């Protein structure tokens, strides 16, 4: 290039922003091109003497130790080290790990229990969903169902799994590693049935799978699960019908009934139970089954009033309501809400509301016709219930016993839940009748003791707490407040009736919250074998 050409103005393409100024020498090698992250020249960085190859972004830094973690890490105390002892019940261990992030969960302590090189992931997930289906259909809480599903997966070496439980749908996802595609499966719960014997058998299967000393293959687990499904109910139909009648009779004694009232309430409940079975055989929804079952006790009570028989007709109707109130679904719904499963809790409580509306419709129809026919039914009779401690304690124990039979419990648990129900009524009677406490407060304390004793028995036997708590809350159900609220509405005293129904709702919530609180207290302060505490759920917090 000549000197004249050098002085000639250059085009815009020649004077690009990336062209180095004149007089700056640039090497020909492409290695000179660096980014803003390159180290300046002349800065010596000490190189590691280790000959290990460079890892990926997911590789744990070399020399890292949890014990030597610097306080500068987030959180300030370093990453906590999780230590779950084998002495803890599997429910507590699985529940604790479910509330941890996946990256913080401890790895399984043993190899998978299968003969292949690795776990048969689809079959393990299928087994897990089938076990979860039986637990959810039996009325178990969503948190306990998730814990059981996680325990099954973890027993076969699938530690990176996430179960999810809603009211009608179970799903689970397993990701072998951070770079592998996840495997997901789901199962719909279409049929529900109350059989606590089957529930206890499923819990025993999960406990055996979680035992480090046991070696149960997938085939053996499938075989035991199929046997559990094939098992017949422990009590025949005529025993269930008789138990329903005895439950109603015992409840009528609790609210001041005598022998005639006991027999009348028993006959009304048995007739209602048979009509409900007939509707179920015809395929009618449960709403209509509850409506039909509530009519016979109310009809018998109204008939006794119209014939001027000197009995307490309100006790007959109240006793029939005790056999129908959905206490089991109510406790499960409130427990799901308190533990953070709001979708499942909403669905369960909506189910309870439909059942309750069905009972209301059945009783109101009979009361409306009875009032128009001239039946003298007195809502103020609720205030004239005289305490009879010995009769009421015996009636409460009989009520819990028959309730346990209706729930298809194992015979070995019937005695414990009967005593638990008697203790609950003693506490309630001592606080309400003797101490003159509010019935809501007395109910909450009594239900809390029921939950505490039930959780203790469940932890002692490594089983579900439902068989030890559900039947024991039977004497505390708000049958009397429900009946007198409906009666006031039938007599056009809507305001008074709504107040009474609000009291019934308050008592029901006190039962559910008390049972859950008693269970949580046992987990917090009566730890077996380890001082480890369960992490609280952070689903409702913004951090």
């Amino acid at each position: 290039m000549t000197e004249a050409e050098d002085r000639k103005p250059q085009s815009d393409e020649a004077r690009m922003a990336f062209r180095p100024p004149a007089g700056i020498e640039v090497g020909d090698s492409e290695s000179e091109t660096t980014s803003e992250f390159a180290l300046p020249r002349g800065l010596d960085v000490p190189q590691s003497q280790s000959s290990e190859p460079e890892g990926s972004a997911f590789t744990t830094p070399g020399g890292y130790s949890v014990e030597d973690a610097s306080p500068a890490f987030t959180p300030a105390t370093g990453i906590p080290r999780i230590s779950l002892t084998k002495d803890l019940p599997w429910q507590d261990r699985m529940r604790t790990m479910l509330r941890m992030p996946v990256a913080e969960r401890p790895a399984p302590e043993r190899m998978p229990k299968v003969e292949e090189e690795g776990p048969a992931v689809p079959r393990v997930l299928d087994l897990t969903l089938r076990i979860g289906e039986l637990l959810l259909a039996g009325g178990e809480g969503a948190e306990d169902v998730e814990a059981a599903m996680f325990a099954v997966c973890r027993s076969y070496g699938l530690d990176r799994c996430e179960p999810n439980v809603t009211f009608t749908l179970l799903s689970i996802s397993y990701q072998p590693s951070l770079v592998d595609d996840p495997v997901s499966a789901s199962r719909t719960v279409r049929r529900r049935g109350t059989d606590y014997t089957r529930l206890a058998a499923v819990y025993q299967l999960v406990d055996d799978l979680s035992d480090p000393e046991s070696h149960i293959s997938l085939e053996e687990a499938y075989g035991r699960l199929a046997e559990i499904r094939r098992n017949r109910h422990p009590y025949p139909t005529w025993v269930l019908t008789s138990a329903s009648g005895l439950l109603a009779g015992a409840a009528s004694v609790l609210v001041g009934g005598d022998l005639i009232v006991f027999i009348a309430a028993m006959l009304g409940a048995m007739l209602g139970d048979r009509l409900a079975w007939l509707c179920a055989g015809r395929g009618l929804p449960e709403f209509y089954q509850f409506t039909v079952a509530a009519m016979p006790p109310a009809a018998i009570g109204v008939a006794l009033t119209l014939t001027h028989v000197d009995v307490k007709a309100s006790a007959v109707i109240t006793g029939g309501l005790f056999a129908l109130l959905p206490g089991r679904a109510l406790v499960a719904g409130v427990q799901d809400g308190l533990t953070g499963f709001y979708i499942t809790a909403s669905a369960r409580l909506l189910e309870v509301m439909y059942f309750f509306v069905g009972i209301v419709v059945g009783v109101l129809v009979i009361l409306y016709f009875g009032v128009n026919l001239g039946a003298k039914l007195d809502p103020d009779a609720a205030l004239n219930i005289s305490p009879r401690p010995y009769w009421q304690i015996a009636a409460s124990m009989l009520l819990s016993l028959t309730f346990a039979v209706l729930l298809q419990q194992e015979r070995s648990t019937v005695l414990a839940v009967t005593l638990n129900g008697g203790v609950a009524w003693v506490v309630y009677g001592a606080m309400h009748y003797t101490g003159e406490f509010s019935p809501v407060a007395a109910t909450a304390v009594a239900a809390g003791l029921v939950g505490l004793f039930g959780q203790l028995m469940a932890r002692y036997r490594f089983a579900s707490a439902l068989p030890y708590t559900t039947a024991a809350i039977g004497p505390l159900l708000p049958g009397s407040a429900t009946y007198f609220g409906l009666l006031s509405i039938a007599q056009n005293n809507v305001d008074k009736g709504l107040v009474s129904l609000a009291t019934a709702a308050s008592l029901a919530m006190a039962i559910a919250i008390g049972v859950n609180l008693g269970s949580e207290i046992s987990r917090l302060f009566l730890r077996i074998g380890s001082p480890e505490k369960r992490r609280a759920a952070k689903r409702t917090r913004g951090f």
Side-chain angles (χ1 to χ4, degrees):
M1 181 182 297
T2 63
E3 182 178 355
E5 291 176 345
D6 192 30
R7 292 195 301 266
K8 182 180 178 181
Q10 298 179 355
S11 64
D12 292 340
E13 294 181 358
R15 291 185 285 103
M16 295 175 59
F18 299 101
R19 182 174 181 178
I24 301 299
E25 296 181 0
V26 180
D28 295 334
S29 175
E30 294 181 356
S31 60
E32 297 291 337
T33 303
T34 59
S35 67
E36 64 271 20
F37 300 102
L39 295 174
R41 292 183 178 179
L43 178 62
D44 295 331
V45 179
Q47 301 295 326
S48 175
Q49 300 297 327
S50 174
S51 59
E52 295 180 359
E54 181 180 359
S56 66
F58 304 102
T59 305
T60 304
Y64 175 79
S65 176
V66 175
E67 293 83 352
D68 301 331
S70 172
F73 284 105
T74 302
T77 56
I79 300 176
R81 185 177 184 180
I82 305 301
S83 176
L84 295 173
T85 65
K86 299 178 182 179
D87 297 332
L88 291 176
W90 65 264
Q91 298 97 317
D92 288 348
R93 289 187 281 116
M94 298 303 113
R95 191 181 292 109
T96 301
M97 283 188 285
L98 273 175
R99 292 188 173 186
M100 299 179 191
V102 177
E104 296 183 17
R105 293 175 185 169
E109 300 175 359
R110 53 198 174 90
M111 296 301 293
K113 301 177 181 179
V114 291
E115 291 78 9
E116 297 84 5
E117 294 181 358
V121 175
R123 298 197 66 199
V124 172
L125 297 184
D126 178 71
L127 175 68
T128 302
L129 290 173
R130 291 176 183 273
I131 290 177
E133 178 191 10
L134 285 180
L135 293 176
L136 188 63
E140 190 61 85
E143 186 182 34
D144 294 321
V145 175
E146 280 197 358
M149 294 173 64
F150 186 75
V152 174
C153 285
R154 190 173 174 81
S155 65
Y156 288 103
L158 308 186
D159 58 320
R160 301 183 62 87
C161 63
E162 288 292 344
N164 188 23
V165 176
T166 59
F167 186 59
T168 58
L169 181 65
L170 297 170
S171 62
I172 189 167
S173 176
Y174 169 69
Q175 189 173 14
S177 67
L178 293 173
V179 297
D180 292 328
D181 295 332
V183 181
S184 300
S186 62
R187 193 174 184 87
T188 302
V189 180
R190 302 188 183 277
R191 296 186 60 185
R192 299 178 182 275
T194 304
D195 188 344
Y196 282 1
T197 299
R198 179 178 296 173
L199 186 71
V202 176
Y203 257 80
Q204 184 61 49
L205 173 59
V206 178
D207 184 45
D208 292 341
L209 290 173
S210 303
D211 187 2
E213 304 299 329
S214 65
H215 300 281
I216 302 177
S217 65
L218 279 173
E219 296 299 331
E220 293 173 346
Y222 267 109
R224 289 182 57 177
L225 189 62
E227 184 179 355
I228 292 172
R229 285 181 175 274
R230 288 194 300 265
N231 283 345
R232 299 177 60 88
H233 298 308
Y235 306 104
T237 303
W238 67 270
V239 174
L240 299 179
T241 302
S242 302
S244 178
L246 291 174
L247 190 154
S252 66
V253 174
L254 282 178
V255 294
D258 53 13
L259 181 59
I260 298 178
V261 171
F262 179 92
I263 296 175
M266 183 175 65
L267 293 177
M270 293 173 66
L271 180 59
D273 181 76
R274 287 291 87 199
L275 290 177
W277 277 99
L278 180 62
C279 293
R282 300 292 180 179
L284 289 178
E286 286 185 295
F287 175 86
Y288 301 105
Q289 297 177 30
F290 275 83
T291 301
V292 171
M295 289 183 175
I300 291 178
V302 171
L304 291 175
T305 303
L306 291 175
T307 55
H308 303 287
V309 178
D310 188 16
V311 296
K312 201 169 185 178
S314 61
V316 177
I317 304 175
T318 301
L321 290 178
F322 265 87
L324 298 175
L325 293 177
R328 171 183 58 86
L330 174 67
V331 171
V334 174
Q335 179 182 358
D336 287 343
L338 294 176
T339 52
F341 294 84
Y342 300 115
I343 297 178
T344 308
S346 301
R348 288 186 192 267
L349 294 178
L350 185 62
E351 181 188 44
V352 171
M353 187 191 73
Y354 272 102
F355 290 164
F356 187 75
V357 170
I359 296 171
V360 167
V361 171
V363 175
L364 274 181
V365 169
I366 301 299
L367 292 180
Y368 178 77
F369 284 106
V371 170
N372 290 335
L373 292 175
K376 303 297 182 181
L377 300 172
D378 185 13
D380 295 330
L383 303 176
N384 300 323
I385 299 177
S386 58
R388 298 175 297 173
Y390 298 108
W391 283 103
Q392 289 177 327
I393 292 174
S396 65
M397 296 178 68
L398 177 61
L399 194 153
S400 299
L401 172 64
T402 52
F403 203 172
V405 173
L406 289 175
L407 294 174
Q408 303 280 0
Q409 292 190 195
E410 290 181 302
R411 291 177 173 84
S412 59
T413 65
V414 171
L415 178 60
V417 75
T418 301
L419 296 176
N420 200 5
V423 171
W425 182 260
V426 169
V427 173
Y428 171 81
M431 293 185 64
H432 178 55
Y433 294 115
T434 305
E436 297 182 354
F437 281 84
S438 166
V440 176
T443 300
V445 173
L449 289 178
V450 167
L452 178 62
F453 293 157
Q455 191 62 229
L456 288 176
M457 290 298 299
R459 293 168 65 82
Y460 175 73
R461 301 189 61 176
F462 292 88
S464 172
L466 287 181
Y468 301 99
T469 57
T470 305
I473 65 173
L476 305 176
L477 292 175
S480 180
T482 303
Y483 162 68
F484 288 110
L486 299 180
L487 179 58
S488 298
I489 293 176
Q491 294 177 340
N492 293 325
N493 296 324
V494 179
D495 293 339
K496 188 176 181 179
L498 292 178
V499 170
S500 185
L501 290 179
T503 302
S506 300
L507 292 173
M509 292 297 294
I511 293 173
I513 294 175
V515 170
N516 181 263
L517 182 60
S519 299
E520 294 297 327
I521 289 175
S522 68
R523 293 192 185 112
L524 286 174
F525 300 107
L526 301 178
R527 184 66 59 187
I528 298 178
S530 173
E532 293 289 341
K533 294 183 179 180
R534 183 180 65 168
R535 287 190 172 187
K538 292 186 178 180
R539 299 184 180 93
T540 58
R541 297 194 177 107
F543 56 87

